[in-house]
Each structure stands twice: as C-alpha cells, then as structure tokens.
Amino acid sequence: MTVDITPDAALDSGVDRSAGVTAPAGFRAAGVIAGIKPAGTPDLTVVVNDGPADVAAGVFTTNKVKAAPVLWSQQVLTAGVLKAVVLNSGGANACTGPEGFQDTHQTAEKLAEVLGVGAAQIGVCSTGLIGERLPMDKLLPGISAAVEALGDGPEHGLAAATAVMTTDNVPKQAALTHPDGWSIGGFAKGAGMCAPNMATMLSVITTDAVLDQPHLDHALRNAVGKTFNRLDVDGGTSTNDTVLLLSSGASGVTVTPEAFEAALTILAADLVKQLQADAEGVTKHVSITVQGAATEAEALAAAKIVAEDNLCKTAFFASDPNWGRIAMAVGNAPTAFDPSLLDITLNGAQICKAGGKGVDRSEADLSGLEIDVLIDLHAGPASATVLTTDLSHAYVEENSAYSS
Amino acid sequence: MTVDITPDAALDSGVDRSAGVTAPAGFRAAGVIAGIKPAGTPDLTVVVNDGPADVAAGVFTTNKVKAAPVLWSQQVLTAGVLKAVVLNSGGANACTGPEGFQDTHQTAEKLAEVLGVGAAQIGVCSTGLIGERLPMDKLLPGISAAVEALGDGPEHGLAAATAVMTTDNVPKQAALTHPDGWSIGGFAKGAGMCAPNMATMLSVITTDAVLDQPHLDHALRNAVGKTFNRLDVDGGTSTNDTVLLLSSGASGVTVTPEAFEAALTILAADLVKQLQADAEGVTKHVSITVQGAATEAEALAAAKIVAEDNLCKTAFFASDPNWGRIAMAVGNAPTAFDPSLLDITLNGAQICKAGGKGVDRSEADLSGLEIDVLIDLHAGPASATVLTTDLSHAYVEENSAYSS
C-alpha cells in the first residue's frame, strides 16, 4: 500500500509483528475466556494504561446504527482520557436498545471498580452478532479474571489480540520502536470496513510517547484516513468499528506530531495489511490505485467503486485480466475523466491504453497472490490507493453457511 | 414489485409473454445467426417500424464510459425518429475508440441502405465483451440476412428476443393489448443494472399507439425510472445499457399520455421481473421495500444499499433471516432516520422492532424462492422498492469461470 507519509529513515528497521499493545512502556494487557462465546475460546480483552499520562483518542464507525459500546466510547472520549479499554468478542451489543447501553455502562463500571478509576475513563468495544444481548453473568466475572491476568510481556499483548478474534484466523498485532526511545504497538481484528460475518473492525493502539491530546487525536484521524479507511473488503461499514489510541507517556520522550503520525501510519498500514490477508474467503490481495484524478477524494471514490464491484472481484478470483469490467466500474464513479484517455495497468501490463485495447492480455499475469491495479485518469495530479480482496466461493460459503 | 401507476382495470387481463415486439401493428422483426458469436447461435436482431409514424425515444446508461452504439443512438435520437433498430450480441463495441464508432456508423449505414432510409433513422445496440472490435465481415452480411427474414408474426418477435441473448438462459418478451384497440410489446436481455458477465441490459419496446414524441419520451423516462432502474443485481451500470421505444401509430388510436404510461410501466415491470428471474446465479427473487422515508430518493438509496450489500445477499442465499446485516446496511445509506425506530419485516415477520429484536427468527421463513424485505424508517411518507437477487456460488462460478 502506498501511504503518503514523511519518510523516516529511523523507522527503516520496520515493524515487529511479534509484539503488540504491551510493547510501549506503561501498558498491561490480558485476554481470557469469559464464556461469552459458546465455543469456549478467548473472548475478553483488557488493556490498561498505567501512565503517567492517560490521553487517548478514538475514531468510530460512520454508520447511523451504532452499537452501544460505540455510543459509550464516543461519549467518554469527549474528555480525551482513557485509563483502560475492555473488549469482548461473541456479541456486538448492537440493536439492543437502552438495555444494551446499560450493559455497556455496567461493563465499564465493573472494570473501573476493579481498577479503582472512574467509569468515564473506560473505553468499551464489542464484536459479534448484531441484535443479541450480552451474557453479563459471564462477562462481568470475566473482567475480574482478566485484571488478575494482566501483564506487560509480549505474551500478554498476544493474548489481548487473540481474545478479540471472531472469524479471524490469526491474531493481528504489530509494534514499532523509534531510535529516539519511544514506541508504538497495537492489535486489530476484523476484515475490512465491515468484517463479513461478524461485522466489526476493532483496533487498540498504544504508545509511550509524550504527546498532547489534540495532536494524538489529529494523528489518529490522519492515519486512519490513510490506512484503515482504505481497506474495503465488501463495502460495508459496521455498527461497531472502532480504533482507539492510548498514550502512557511512560517513555518520557516528547515527540513531534509529524514523527508520531509517520510512525502511527506505518503501524496502522501494517495492521491493515494483516487484516487484508485474513479477510474472509480471500484468495487474492488486490491493490487498486487511481492516479491522474482531479482531487484525492475523486481518486478515492474511483478506487473504492472498483474495490466494491462484484464483477471485478470475481475476475480477480479467476486471475482474469478483464479490464472491460474495470473500465465499466470506473465509469460509474463520481469522478471526472475523459474515457478516451483512460489507461489501466494490471500487474505492470498496460492492458487498456487511451480508452481502448493496450498490450495483449497474455502479458497481464494475475495468477499469483498479489494483484496490482493501476488506473490513470489523466484528469489531474491526485491519487489514492485502496486495498481489497477477491470475491471467491469461500467468501460466499463463509457468509452463507454461517447462520445468524 | 410495487409500481406507482394509475390503476387501469382495462389492463387487468394482464401481460402476454408469448408475444413481443411484433404484437403492435406496423412492426416487423427478425433474429438471425450472423456468425459474430463463435458458438454459432443467433446474434443479430433487426426491428423495423413500417409506420405510418416513426417517433421514438431512448434511455441510456449513465456510465461515463459509453459504448459506441450508445453514443450513436443517443445522437440520432435527438431528432426523436427511428425507422429501425439493429442489435448484436457477441460484442459490446465498448472501449474500441474511433474505429469502434466507425463500425457502429457502418452498421447503421448498411441497414439504412437495405431499407432505403437514412442512417440517422437507425438505432444501434450491442452487447458482449468490452474492448474487442466487432467482426464487421460477419455483421454486415448478417444485416442483409436479417432484413430478408423480417416478419410480423409472433415467431419473428421471439427470434428478435432470442438473438440478443448473451448469458441469458431464456428470451424475455411481453405484450399488452388495450381494449381501446392499441398495443405495446417488447423484449429485453440482461440481468440488472449490469448483466454480470456481459455487462449490458438492452430492451426494445414497440407500440402502435398514436402519441407525440415528447409524450413518448416522457412516458419512457418515467416508466424506466420505476422499473428497469429499480432492478439491481450487482450495483454496476454497464457501458451499453439501452431502452428504446418506437411508435408506429399503426393502430390509429390516439392515447392519453397517462394511459400510455400506465401500460408501458406494466409492460416494463413484467420484463424486469423476467430479467430478475434470469439473473446470473440467482436462487432467490428478493424485493426490498423501504417505507417511511423522508423522500422517495432517500427510500430508493436505502433500498439500493441493501440490494447491493454482499453480506445481506449471502444471507438471502442461505435463507437466513439475519436482520442485523440489513440494519447495518441501512445505517450506511445517505438516508435520515432514527435507529431506535427502525422496523424490519422479512416475509411478513417483524423480526426487528423499534431498533431491536422483534418476533423470533423462526417466524421468518425465507426457504422459498421469494424473499420480501420491508424496512420502515418512520421518518416520513415516502417509499421505494428495488428488486435484487442473492449472492450464490453460481454467481461466483459464472463470473469467474468465464474468461474475458
């Protein structure tokens, strides 16, 4: 994925996927089996910020139908402070009415009580089926168990990343250490704007960098806009999507907003790559870049319409360089361009040139895992990249065999 | 499908699917094998209007990437006159540049020459793969053969409906006779806003009613808006979509615009029902009605977002009353509503009430062919219905096994 960040040679050492939310100093985490999921697999995660700072920011779903934990966390984050986050899998707590909101409130109260902080300093996230109440008789004791299990080792970060999984096949985490002495880490679950079965993308990111809340918030919004919001598995935006960023300031190192945003964007882009690779039914990792658009918003709209088009997605599944379907999809975007200038390049082969046939289709080899689509509109200087997946039999199987 | 038309008891006798474009007086048609399709199946249709009138109207794709025949037919229809239409399957003649436009021009010239009329009085439609030139050495002799085969019997109308088929399994036609002595007939091919493989919805409708061109045009736009534009198989709009309406005036009966639009809407709705039933990979006929919206446009936007959502579509395939996915999709629509008032009824069972769980899911039986989704936003007086299909293994198979 192309991310438009200030290059930072200091980060060349790259991202470490063996570490996650406990990599930055000042954070403890745990993931336990509370019994929310009938399968008896881990389903409750707690991440605690031991400070000294407690600034936090969040980005939430734009869906009008928001789950109770989203309404709660949005509200508490207006103060820009979080001492801890509790996340459950096994139930989205969406479309559950005032009772569902009360369940979220009680969840925050319980963790606050055990930690000796205020409920308004607790973030809550949920993921799972929409429309069902959570089993509070299992969730509340699970919170006590999770707090007892808290630790700051890499195994604790991994346990936290594991207990939020639903149809994810693998836990997804990453960490980055800056040579200046601060670090950033995080986990994510889900598979796109809308994780197919379970309908949620959740991520918690921690840092020990010292940064004030407005800059933290600004960096998070920019990074999410360039990373999480440019993965589009099936066009949906769930009722529960949440990305939370917590800073402990425990490194004592004050960072510039620019350096922090650059590192955060690299970390988030890595988590997004992991989400793409674990999307339901995925057999192809597809990158759609639209360049030569008048504005970035128009480039993004055109890339998204291709990413969401089922005809393009079934062609990707078939390794078929069917550029006519891509031309059709781009032509439906709310994006200005002259069709007689349209170029489409698939894995390096310019198969559509000036709105017509380019090199022979045999030159576009899409048989591998990676498919790079480059669309040039020749209408301006702006570009944008969206990551997506193919539409496979496995996607249909996973999303139809599963019963609500 | 709910269509908002003036009730006309005279039309209660209903639509006759054994007749089509040759049902109205003054029309001849033919469908022949020109050899454009390698399979050697019928691939060239001609419909001729013998008058006395020759008024016509057309509605075309909104895609910015328009096929050569769309550019041609839009241009000639600015005069509101068509003496004949020639349609080919086996090639869309889209993304073929100036040479492709010249091929369309030559096609119109050839039919005009054989019929002894002007090329500017000939409509042209094409359907098939995007990006390939048409085999003019086969298409042009095919026009002569089609003109020799012209006739006004029902078998000629059926042949015309057959030669435009691509991945369609059956020809789709319908006719209506009004007791006042005039009639209307038509055929259609394709499977939605975008016929999956071949990317085109084409329809030709004929009438012997006497009506001036502005009223014909107005009736066509209204009827298409309420019928063809409310079928949404996969959200795409092809490069070639075209609906043409030709009037011969041969009945000598002058109709009111209202009576004509009512009959045209009934006929088009029937053709749309046939398109839905023959959509690629379809195993469910799904009707999505959104009511209680502030405006019809908002109702339509909400219905379309559900119709295009792959999570809803895989749930339909599984006969799964997964209303949470529907709530998620509606929440992403550019439509104002209060989530705590949302009702969702599936095949008569109100499974979501006031934003939360309604009757038990066992009461929503989706095991049959028909699935009716009724979404009440409680935000105003407007409603709209969109027809769609499920997302099945067969859809993926048909659109991936087929190679461009």
Side-chain angles (χ1 to χ4, degrees):
Chain A
M1 184 164 65
T2 308
V3 286
D4 178 25
I5 53 170
T6 311
D8 188 337
L11 294 172
D12 270 359
S13 57
V15 164
D16 176 10
R17 291 184 181 174
S18 72
V21 284
T22 53
F27 288 96
R28 289 176 296 151
V32 300
I33 300 169
I36 304 165
K37 285 179 184 167
T41 47
D43 50 16
L44 191 82
T45 287
V46 169
V47 179
V48 175
N49 179 359
D50 290 319
D54 54 13
V55 289
V59 174
F60 301 93
T61 181
T62 54
N63 199 306
K64 287 179 193 72
V65 180
K66 292 186 206 310
V70 168
L71 296 171
W72 171 268
S73 299
Q74 275 188 313
Q75 181 58 34
V76 301
L77 268 170
T78 55
V81 168
L82 283 182
K83 294 283 192 189
V85 182
V86 50
L87 311 92
N88 74 275
S89 52
N93 198 6
C95 298
T96 45
E99 296 81 7
F101 189 81
Q102 184 49 39
D103 290 341
T104 290
H105 187 179
Q106 204 183 348
T107 301
E109 288 278 9
K110 171 74 180 180
L111 180 57
E113 179 195 318
V114 177
L115 295 177
V117 300
Q121 299 167 318
I122 305 293
V124 183
C125 301
S126 299
T127 177
L129 192 67
I130 294 171
E132 299 286 341
R133 295 280 299 280
L134 290 171
M136 297 303 288
D137 58 327
K138 290 172 176 155
L139 196 152
L140 295 178
I143 289 175
S144 302
V147 171
E148 278 171 37
L150 285 170
D152 62 4
E155 70 277 20
H156 296 96
L158 185 61
T162 302
V164 292
M165 290 166 55
T166 53
T167 56
D168 307 70
N169 294 302
V170 294
K172 289 168 268 286
Q173 63 171 7
L176 255 181
T177 299
H178 197 282
D180 288 353
W182 56 277
S183 61
I184 184 167
F187 63 73
K189 66 81 52 188
M193 297 291 284
C194 181
N197 264 347
M198 295 302 192
T200 296
M201 198 289 296
L202 300 181
S203 179
V204 174
I205 300 173
T206 57
T207 183
D208 51 18
V210 178
L211 200 69
D212 62 18
Q213 203 276 338
H215 282 118
L216 200 73
D217 186 78
H218 185 74
L220 182 64
R221 280 172 208 289
N222 282 351
V224 168
K226 286 178 180 150
T227 57
F228 290 107
N229 285 350
R230 300 210 176 170
L231 172 65
D232 188 341
V233 171
D234 50 19
T237 299
S238 96
T239 52
N240 290 56
D241 289 346
T242 301
V243 184
L244 298 177
L245 172 61
L246 289 74
S247 168
S248 67
S251 70
V253 180
T254 301
V255 298
T256 65
E258 295 73 25
F260 182 74
E261 186 177 320
L264 178 63
T265 304
I266 289 170
L267 185 95
D270 189 81
L271 289 173
V272 166
K273 272 293 208 186
Q274 295 183 56
L275 290 169
Q276 179 193 33
D278 197 21
E280 286 175 2
V282 60
T283 79
K284 298 286 186 181
H285 300 176
V286 185
S287 167
I288 317 271
T289 297
V290 172
Q291 68 183 33
T295 66
E296 188 181 358
E298 290 201 16
L300 188 58
K304 279 179 70 75
I305 210 162
V306 175
E308 293 177 9
D309 186 87
N310 282 352
L311 292 169
C312 294
K313 290 168 94 80
T314 47
F316 298 146
F317 172 52
S319 305
D320 179 7
N322 192 331
W323 63 269
R325 293 183 182 180
I326 297 171
M328 178 278 294
V330 174
N332 284 319
T335 299
F337 71 99
D338 177 347
S340 73
L341 299 178
L342 179 69
D343 294 337
I344 300 172
T345 302
L346 298 178
N347 280 359
Q350 194 177 58
I351 197 163
C352 169
K353 191 171 167 56
K357 208 170 181 176
V359 302
D360 192 75
R361 49 169 283 129
S362 63
E363 294 190 35
D365 179 6
L366 309 189
S367 60
L369 183 63
E370 305 283 339
I371 297 181
D372 285 319
V373 179
L374 175 62
I375 299 161
D376 197 332
L377 304 177
H378 296 285
S383 67
T385 297
V386 167
L387 299 185
T388 190
T389 57
D390 55 333
L391 175 55
S392 67
H393 283 299
Y395 178 92
V396 174
E397 185 60 25
E398 203 160 339
N399 285 296
S400 57
Y402 171 85
S403 178
S404 63
Chain B
M1 183 164 66
T2 308
V3 287
D4 179 25
I5 52 169
T6 311
D8 188 337
L11 294 172
D12 270 358
S13 57
V15 164
D16 176 11
R17 291 183 181 174
S18 72
V21 285
T22 54
F27 289 95
R28 288 175 297 151
V32 300
I33 300 169
I36 304 164
K37 286 180 184 167
T41 48
D43 50 17
L44 192 82
T45 288
V46 169
V47 179
V48 175
N49 179 358
D50 289 318
D54 55 12
V55 288
V59 174
F60 301 92
T61 181
T62 54
N63 199 306
K64 288 179 192 70
V65 180
K66 292 185 207 310
V70 169
L71 296 171
W72 171 268
S73 298
Q74 275 189 311
Q75 182 57 36
V76 301
L77 267 171
T78 55
V81 167
L82 284 181
K83 294 283 194 191
V85 182
V86 50
L87 311 92
N88 74 274
S89 51
N93 198 7
C95 298
T96 45
E99 297 80 5
F101 190 80
Q102 184 50 40
D103 290 341
T104 290
H105 187 178
Q106 204 183 346
T107 301
E109 289 278 7
K110 172 72 180 182
L111 180 58
E113 179 196 319
V114 177
L115 295 177
V117 300
Q121 299 167 318
I122 304 293
V124 183
C125 301
S126 298
T127 177
L129 193 65
I130 294 172
E132 300 286 341
R133 295 279 300 279
L134 290 171
M136 297 303 288
D137 58 327
K138 290 174 176 155
L139 195 152
L140 295 178
I143 289 174
S144 303
V147 171
E148 277 172 37
L150 285 169
D152 62 5
E155 70 277 20
H156 296 96
L158 184 62
T162 302
V164 292
M165 289 165 55
T166 54
T167 57
D168 307 70
N169 294 303
V170 293
K172 289 168 271 286
Q173 64 171 7
L176 255 182
T177 299
H178 197 282
D180 288 354
W182 55 277
S183 61
I184 184 167
F187 63 72
K189 66 81 53 187
M193 297 293 281
C194 183
N197 264 346
M198 294 302 191
T200 296
M201 198 291 297
L202 300 180
S203 179
V204 174
I205 300 172
T206 56
T207 183
D208 51 17
V210 178
L211 201 69
D212 62 19
Q213 204 277 336
H215 283 117
L216 200 72
D217 186 78
H218 185 72
L220 181 63
R221 282 171 207 289
N222 283 351
V224 168
K226 285 177 182 151
T227 56
F228 290 106
N229 285 350
R230 301 213 176 168
L231 172 65
D232 188 342
V233 171
D234 51 17
T237 299
S238 97
T239 52
N240 291 55
D241 289 346
T242 300
V243 184
L244 298 177
L245 171 61
L246 289 73
S247 168
S248 68
S251 70
V253 180
T254 301
V255 297
T256 65
E258 294 72 25
F260 183 74
E261 187 177 318
L264 179 62
T265 303
I266 289 171
L267 185 95
D270 189 82
L271 289 172
V272 165
K273 272 293 209 186
Q274 295 183 57
L275 290 169
Q276 177 192 34
D278 196 21
E280 286 175 3
V282 61
T283 79
K284 299 286 186 182
H285 300 176
V286 185
S287 166
I288 317 272
T289 297
V290 173
Q291 67 183 35
T295 66
E296 188 181 359
E298 290 201 17
L300 188 58
K304 279 179 71 76
I305 210 163
V306 175
E308 293 177 9
D309 186 86
N310 282 352
L311 292 169
C312 294
K313 290 168 94 81
T314 47
F316 298 145
F317 172 51
S319 304
D320 180 8
N322 193 330
W323 63 270
R325 293 182 181 179
I326 297 171
M328 178 278 294
V330 174
N332 284 320
T335 299
F337 70 99
D338 177 348
S340 73
L341 300 178
L342 180 67
D343 294 336
I344 300 172
T345 302
L346 298 179
N347 279 359
Q350 194 178 58
I351 196 162
C352 170
K353 190 170 167 56
K357 210 170 178 173
V359 301
D360 191 75
R361 50 169 283 128
S362 63
E363 294 190 35
D365 179 6
L366 309 189
S367 61
L369 182 62
E370 304 282 339
I371 296 180
D372 285 318
V373 180
L374 175 62
I375 299 161
D376 196 331
L377 303 178
H378 296 285
S383 68
T385 297
V386 167
L387 299 186
T388 189
T389 58
D390 55 333
L391 175 55
S392 68
H393 283 299
Y395 178 93
V396 174
E397 186 60 26
E398 202 160 340
N399 285 297
S400 57
Y402 170 86
S403 177
S404 65

